[in-house]
Amino acid sequence: MVIEEGSPGPSRPPGDRRPRQREKDKQQEKQQACEGFSIRAMMKNSVVRGPPPAGSVKPRPAKRTVFRKFYERGDLPIAVQHDGVGNKIAWKVEIENLDYHYFLPLFFDGLCETEFPYEFFARQGVHDLLEHGGNKILPVVPQLIIPIKNALNLRNRQVLCTTLKVIQHLVVSAEMVGEALVPYYRQILPILSIFKHMDVNLGDGIEYSQQKRENIGVLIKETLELFERYGGEDAYINIKYMIPTYGSCM
Amino acid sequence: MVTHKVPDLPTCLEEKHSLGESSTSCEEELNINDMKMSKVSEVMTKADIKPKSMHRAKIWSGDIENLYRFQQAGYRDEVEYKQVKQVNEVECWPETGFVKKLQRRDNTFYYYNRQRECEDKDVPKVKVYVY
């Protein structure tokens, strides 16, 4: 008896399952998708749709920058040299004689650009100015925050990569710059918090953007670690306040 | 290395005019000075000196890095730069000793990084001139 009753599992013909599936399908067909918090949403056969995407990582349209205007007007003391190795900036005046209060924020403003030659000039110009600025950089730091914030707020992947690399260079460019940036974490870090998770777990796959230094998640992690290393005592607690998922590297 | 082709040398000519000396005395003076100067400046003093041979770099080194920087700016090497720009010193990074700033022939400036710029793929592009 028991054997006869217990037999249905494996030996049951496949035709027996179909009616159940049909019933389920019918039930699903009856269910209607509707908006949340509506009267229809309270009906038994209704399924509430998820919320629309908020667009927190959606790129914003770029505006025309002051840097572009100045370059087109011929106000910047730079020229491009096309070499076999790669393009390079030729400075028409010595960097040591430049007014950093005027030129450094101007070049930082150009970080919002994505087109050649503006993007190249801004990126390379900032690099040269930071590399050769020394003590002149520290007093200009407060003026750099708004251009950095504007560039990050565009949420354009290319601009984000460039800006993160520039921030990394800025932090190590001179003494005390890392500490001078701590009061401005509230302006800089919210965007980093949004993009921090943008790092895909590929298992044992090869992530090519890592070699090219275009992986935003990794760049943000590096930047935050630099902030903590160079930001002094208060850096960690301030970073943690803005980005709760950040773990200390020290 | 030999100092018998000096007459074209601008510095030497200046001396000759100012002091009213013959070219041979100028040569002697140069010989004495050359003993004290480094190898590079020794070659530099002969204005019209031309390299005898050239070969390509194979392995990166500090010298190759500097040559790369000079050649990016449009000069053969430090010797030619000093001749053309009439300077005694080239600005270098104190940490690494690499060239920091060069003035091109069109009087624009090239600025170089503190760290190595010449990547391995660019090393064979560097020309090493032998005098």
Side-chain angles (χ1 to χ4, degrees):
Chain A
M1 294 290 285
V2 179
I3 296 165
E4 282 173 11
E5 280 179 4
S7 60
S11 61
R12 185 194 277 176
D16 289 3
R17 287 180 183 175
R18 285 178 189 166
R20 284 184 188 174
Q21 270 194 342
R22 279 177 196 160
E23 283 169 19
K24 276 184 184 177
D25 292 341
K26 278 180 185 175
Q27 280 179 356
Q28 280 178 357
E29 279 171 18
K30 282 180 186 174
Q31 287 176 345
Q32 290 177 342
C34 63
E35 298 293 327
F37 305 106
S38 61
I39 294 172
R40 282 178 68 194
M42 298 171 78
M43 290 163 67
K44 274 185 183 173
N45 64 341
S46 64
V47 177
V48 178
R49 270 194 222 111
S56 64
V57 292
K58 199 175 151 191
R60 309 286 195 267
K63 291 173 192 162
R64 198 176 162 81
T65 59
V66 181
F67 178 79
R68 178 184 287 221
K69 186 176 147 192
F70 274 60
Y71 177 69
E72 283 171 352
R73 212 162 61 183
D75 281 356
L76 301 176
I78 45 175
V80 66
Q81 294 291 335
H82 303 279
D83 287 334
V85 183
N87 295 337
K88 205 168 164 61
I89 279 190
W91 291 87
K92 291 174 186 167
V93 294
E94 290 176 83
I95 290 183
E96 295 84 4
N97 300 337
L98 285 179
D99 178 8
Y100 266 58
H101 279 281
Y102 180 74
F103 280 105
L104 198 56
L106 194 60
F107 274 88
F108 266 78
D109 183 66
L111 290 176
C112 294
E113 291 287 350
T114 50
E115 290 170 29
F116 184 83
Y118 314 106
E119 180 264 347
F120 167 74
F121 277 130
R123 181 165 41 82
Q124 203 61 38
V126 165
H127 177 80
D128 280 359
L129 287 171
L130 290 180
E131 186 85 0
H132 300 268
N135 297 330
K136 286 180 178 178
I137 299 169
L138 184 60
V140 197
V141 166
Q143 295 176 54
L144 305 179
I145 304 303
I146 290 176
I148 289 176
K149 193 181 123 187
N150 288 340
L152 290 174
N153 263 332
L154 283 184
R155 297 162 203 220
N156 179 315
R157 306 298 182 271
Q158 186 196 344
V159 174
L160 261 179
C161 279
T162 316
T163 314
L164 286 169
K165 286 175 196 168
V166 163
I167 292 174
Q168 289 181 13
H169 194 177
L170 174 68
V171 172
V172 299
S173 61
E175 281 181 17
M176 300 296 289
V177 172
E179 287 165 41
L181 282 170
V182 175
Y184 302 104
Y185 282 174
R186 266 172 171 276
Q187 275 72 42
I188 300 169
L189 297 189
I191 305 292
L192 304 198
S193 178
I194 294 171
F195 285 92
K196 186 172 173 280
H197 68 279
M198 282 226 161
D199 192 10
V200 193
N201 185 356
L202 294 175
D204 62 349
I206 298 171
E207 169 74 350
Y208 289 100
S209 67
Q210 188 182 24
Q211 190 191 6
K212 291 187 274 182
R213 282 184 40 93
E214 286 170 359
N215 187 321
I216 290 176
V218 174
L219 280 175
I220 289 177
K221 193 167 172 255
E222 285 173 12
T223 313
L224 293 176
E225 286 178 0
L226 276 178
F227 274 148
E228 190 187 343
R229 282 182 205 284
Y230 287 84
E233 288 176 356
D234 301 333
Y236 175 67
I237 198 165
N238 280 293
I239 297 171
K240 190 78 178 168
Y241 176 72
M242 295 305 298
I243 307 176
T245 53
Y246 176 70
S248 175
C249 65
M250 308 259 281
Chain B
M1 308 306 144
V2 194
T3 51
H4 48 70
K5 285 185 181 175
V6 206
D8 295 336
L9 180 72
T11 50
C12 181
L13 280 175
E14 282 167 19
E15 279 178 18
K16 202 164 73 177
H17 286 301
S18 58
L19 300 172
E21 288 173 354
S22 66
S23 63
T24 47
S25 60
C26 186
E27 277 174 30
E28 282 169 13
E29 268 183 26
L30 274 176
N31 278 333
I32 297 160
N33 289 335
D34 284 359
M35 297 281 279
K36 296 169 189 171
M37 286 179 184
S38 66
K39 198 180 175 184
V40 175
S41 54
E42 180 188 334
V43 180
M44 196 206 82
T45 48
K46 300 144 205 166
D48 230 12
I49 194 155
K50 285 179 181 170
K52 285 175 185 166
S53 67
M54 183 277 289
H55 62 269
R56 300 271 179 174
K58 287 180 180 166
I59 305 166
W60 182 89
S61 67
D63 293 337
I64 298 297
E65 175 69 37
N66 278 342
L67 279 175
Y68 173 78
R69 292 174 184 220
F70 279 110
Q71 285 166 21
Q72 261 205 327
Y75 301 97
R76 204 186 295 138
D77 47 21
E78 190 179 346
V79 180
E80 196 188 24
Y81 180 72
K82 285 180 174 172
Q83 278 171 14
V84 174
K85 288 294 160 197
Q86 298 292 316
V87 288
N88 294 325
E89 287 291 315
V90 180
E91 224 172 293
C92 292
W93 284 106
E95 298 94 343
T96 50
F98 299 148
V99 174
K100 185 179 179 185
K101 181 177 94 176
L102 290 178
Q103 194 173 15
R104 289 164 54 89
R105 287 171 199 266
D106 58 359
N107 289 333
T108 56
F109 294 91
Y110 261 11
Y111 283 83
Y112 298 96
N113 293 347
R114 204 170 309 211
Q115 299 302 329
R116 174 180 173 176
E117 279 191 23
C118 177
E119 291 171 30
D120 280 338
K121 68 179 168 70
D122 298 324
V123 169
K125 290 177 191 164
V126 178
K127 294 174 178 176
V128 184
Y129 291 91
V130 182
Y131 291 92

